Amino acid sequence: MAIFSMTLTSFYEDYAIKMKSEAELINELTKAQLNSLKLQINPHFIFNSLNSVSALTALDPGRAKSMIILLADYIRFSLTAGKNDFVSLNDEIENVRKYIEIESIRFGSRINYNEFFEPFSSDFKVPPLIIQPLIENCIKHGVENTSETVNINFRIKNYSDMILISIENNYEDFTKMKKKDGVGLKNVKERLKLHYNNVNLVKISEYNNLFVVELTLPALQ
Amino acid sequence: MKVIKCIIADDEPLGSGLIKKLILMYEGFEVIAVAQNGFEAVKLVNELKPELLFLDISMPKLNGFEVLELLDHLPEVVFVTAHDNFAIKAFEQNAFDYLLKPVSDERFDKLVQKIRLKLSEPAHNKNSSGTLLNKSEPITRIAVKDKNNILIIPVGDLIYVEAADDYIYLRTKGGKFIKKGKISYYSENLNGKEFIQIHRSYIVNLEFITGLELFEKDKYRIKLSTGEFLPVSRSLYKELKEFLNL
């Protein structure tokens, strides 16, 4: 009897451990998935930026220096913020501005970037590098495909329990925006799904040569 | 020394600015124009007839390879790009040289020496047409000139290609366009799953074939969904039948 009871106890202990480890495993799996999805810096971006720096050292050394500092800041944020699950929306916006500044050195007046923000709490948190990929798409599919000026509009609407972020750009008719199946956008979708356990946080619409991606980001409890 | 006239085509101001600065450090070079996209490049090169063209590959509207296809005047072409995966294709296009960005001063100096040597030769033989073999991926679109406009035809819209000496006709739903080139280029570069050569002068898009019929003794022709008929040569008839699973 003593033996039996011992076996039973150890059975329950094993079972409890097993249950716990399964929950942990799922948690770890989610973390691993998130890590693998966390946006690495696009190699094209690095090369293009290095080209800009190289050209600037010959054409405008002063601007070459500011470009290097911008790049360093941008890379630092991408590497450090990427380690956190969440960053403040303000930091994320700051990083988007750096990114735009770097790309504006490359494309000049072909980028017309505008912000339309409703006031929001400085505590509001978002997953790191969740907005930048959308801006990168505007550059890749909008700006790179036309010699005309592309308007990139970044809007924030505050609904207290959630924030609506919208990124839109115009594009030239015959280039067609092919972002729907793009890696960047797919990655953003996957990450939001894993972070908030909700699959309906990304909305894509296209009309009148305007490409719009909307993210609904819930306030954290 | 005769001045070598250059045009630089690059959509990024820093890209063209750097090449301009580098080339002007050497005596005997003049930059006569800077094009900011593919269309401008075609127009400027055909009009101003430079001896040397620095051509960025990734540009809006028309990429560097497409620009090359549309040139009536073909200068020595130096491709400039940040992407080394274009290198093979660039050489297949008979590029004079290929610069990978960022360009070092030493590398640029080598190019200048090479170009001086080449352009000082009395007569340089080169292919008059830019369209040369490209054994990489099948082409997906074809650029043609229609009066003063440039049209891009997605190959899916192409019904057939017809040979006419040094020219080819491209028949699409929208009309028939003429372009310099050989039919062999298209038989090698159109996707073999979508197009088939049925005659020494015709390559046809399978999508548009609606019938195959005998119209004289031993002579076959295909019917297209447009109502047109195209001859099938005896030697290619068997191949076509197999292709259509007959």
Side-chain angles (χ1 to χ4, degrees):
Chain A
M1 188 64 201
I3 293 167
F4 174 72
S5 130
M6 232 176 74
T7 321
L8 197 65
T9 317
S10 76
F11 170 77
Y12 278 114
E13 271 170 8
D14 282 355
Y15 182 70
I17 289 167
K18 196 166 167 254
M19 287 302 287
K20 189 178 159 237
S21 63
E22 242 167 53
E24 262 170 20
L25 269 177
I26 289 171
N27 193 9
E28 271 164 27
L29 186 67
T30 310
K31 269 200 182 142
Q33 281 173 314
L34 274 171
N35 275 335
S36 73
L37 289 171
K38 246 170 216 165
L39 272 153
Q40 297 94 359
I41 301 174
N42 180 342
H44 278 305
F45 171 77
I46 304 257
F47 274 112
N48 291 327
S49 302
L50 284 176
N51 290 334
S52 300
V53 172
S54 157
L56 282 173
T57 53
L59 299 170
D60 190 346
R63 276 179 82 212
K65 193 176 168 192
S66 17
M67 174 80 164
I68 290 171
I69 293 165
L70 271 172
L71 262 178
D73 284 348
Y74 176 77
I75 292 170
R76 187 176 305 118
F77 181 85
S78 303
L79 295 177
T80 56
K83 285 190 188 131
N84 305 323
D85 286 345
F86 289 93
V87 294
S88 79
L89 178 54
N90 278 323
D91 286 350
E92 179 74 5
I93 291 169
E94 206 42 55
N95 191 52
V96 163
R97 289 180 182 147
K98 291 236 162 72
Y99 178 76
I100 285 283
E101 230 182 307
I102 294 168
E103 291 294 50
S104 295
I105 288 174
R106 195 176 150 211
F107 291 106
S109 58
R110 283 162 64 191
I111 299 177
N112 177 27
Y113 169 74
N114 302 294
E115 291 175 350
F116 306 91
F117 294 171
E118 283 180 8
F120 57 88
S121 152
S122 59
D123 296 336
F124 198 89
K125 298 231 182 313
V126 299
L129 303 169
I130 205 80
I131 304 171
Q132 182 275 336
L134 306 178
I135 305 274
E136 189 167 320
N137 268 350
C138 298
I139 307 265
K140 205 167 128 195
H141 302 278
V143 181
E144 285 187 2
N145 286 326
T146 175
S147 14
E148 314 297 321
T149 297
V150 169
N151 301 313
I152 300 177
N153 295 330
F154 178 1
R155 297 171 202 277
I156 294 180
K157 283 188 185 155
N158 191 354
Y159 296 92
S160 65
D161 59 334
M162 58 163 199
I163 271 180
L164 185 77
I165 284 171
S166 127
I167 305 287
E168 60 183 48
N169 71 277
N170 56 309
Y171 61 93
E172 224 172 289
D173 216 5
F174 77 96
T175 60
K176 278 186 240 152
M177 291 290 286
K178 281 190 287 181
K179 292 203 293 195
K180 275 180 193 164
D181 42 1
V183 186
L185 205 50
K186 219 173 115 191
N187 197 299
V188 165
K189 275 187 191 168
E190 279 297 306
R191 287 175 64 209
L192 288 180
K193 194 172 91 188
L194 292 166
H195 270 297
Y196 298 101
N197 203 14
N198 184 335
V199 289
N200 292 317
L201 299 175
V202 183
K203 200 183 126 203
I204 300 162
S205 42
E206 220 174 330
Y207 55 92
N208 296 338
N209 286 3
L210 205 61
F211 193 89
V212 188
V213 181
E214 287 172 319
L215 306 183
T216 307
L217 302 177
L220 294 177
Q221 297 309 314
Chain B
M1 186 161 55
K2 190 180 165 295
V3 173
I4 296 169
K5 287 184 286 181
C6 317
I7 286 183
I8 303 168
D10 193 327
D11 63 313
E12 293 173 29
L14 285 177
S16 56
L18 181 64
I19 297 287
K20 188 171 177 178
K21 177 155 185 170
L22 288 173
I23 195 75
L24 291 182
M25 293 202 298
Y26 293 86
E27 238 176 275
F29 290 90
E30 185 191 355
V31 176
I32 54 170
V34 174
Q36 287 171 8
N37 61 53
F39 285 158
E40 259 183 51
V42 172
K43 198 169 159 267
L44 288 167
V45 171
N46 285 341
E47 256 174 43
L48 303 174
K49 306 194 185 337
E51 278 102 35
L52 181 59
L53 170 65
F54 289 96
L55 186 55
D56 184 22
I57 295 177
S58 312
M59 283 190 294
K61 300 187 184 192
L62 287 176
N63 68 37
F65 297 121
E66 288 164 340
V67 166
L68 209 55
E69 279 195 42
L70 292 166
L71 294 180
D72 297 328
H73 167 81
L74 198 74
E76 296 298 346
V77 175
V78 176
F79 279 113
V80 186
T81 175
H83 311 296
D84 56 359
N85 49 341
F86 288 130
I88 294 170
K89 193 165 178 193
F91 282 109
E92 283 169 349
Q93 302 278 349
N94 266 7
F96 178 74
D97 206 344
Y98 178 88
L99 294 179
L100 199 56
K101 291 192 227 181
V103 186
S104 71
D105 294 352
E106 293 76 20
R107 178 67 185 80
F108 199 82
D109 193 67
K110 261 190 199 156
L111 164 74
V112 170
Q113 305 317 328
K114 219 168 100 178
I115 202 89
R116 277 182 172 154
L117 202 68
K118 171 84 178 201
L119 289 179
S120 63
E121 281 168 18
H124 46 285
N125 282 327
K126 53 182 180 177
N127 217 300
S128 59
S129 149
T131 46
L132 286 170
L133 297 190
N134 143 40
K135 294 207 178 49
S136 19
E137 292 186 353
I139 48 176
T140 57
R141 47 188 222 174
I142 300 167
V144 292
K145 271 188 282 190
D146 180 30
K147 297 182 193 93
N148 290 320
N149 300 320
I150 289 166
L151 291 179
I152 306 282
I153 302 172
V155 294
D157 290 354
L158 184 62
I159 303 173
Y160 63 83
V161 183
E162 181 181 348
D165 295 324
D166 286 341
Y167 290 85
I168 46 125
Y169 287 104
L170 299 159
R171 170 80 164 95
T172 71
K173 280 176 261 183
K176 213 165 176 178
F177 303 94
I178 189 165
K179 183 182 165 92
K180 241 187 224 170
K182 295 268 181 208
I183 198 155
S184 55
Y185 171 81
Y186 295 89
S187 62
E188 283 168 32
N189 288 284
L190 285 166
N191 189 337
K193 288 186 184 119
E194 291 157 24
F195 288 87
I196 183 167
Q197 182 147 20
I198 52 163
H199 186 275
R200 108 187 107 77
S201 301
Y202 293 98
I203 296 171
V204 69
N205 187 337
L206 290 164
E207 277 287 299
F208 295 94
I209 299 180
T210 55
L212 173 63
E213 56 184 50
L214 186 73
F215 80 106
E216 262 173 44
K217 186 180 177 298
D218 266 1
K219 277 192 176 164
Y220 286 86
R221 62 183 188 180
I222 55 160
K223 192 176 177 198
L224 298 172
S225 56
T226 56
E228 291 162 282
F229 293 96
L230 295 179
V232 178
S233 68
R234 210 168 301 167
S235 55
L236 294 166
Y237 170 71
K238 225 181 110 190
E239 212 176 305
L240 177 66
K241 253 179 78 174
E242 267 170 32
F243 220 92
L244 298 172
N245 276 326
L246 291 172

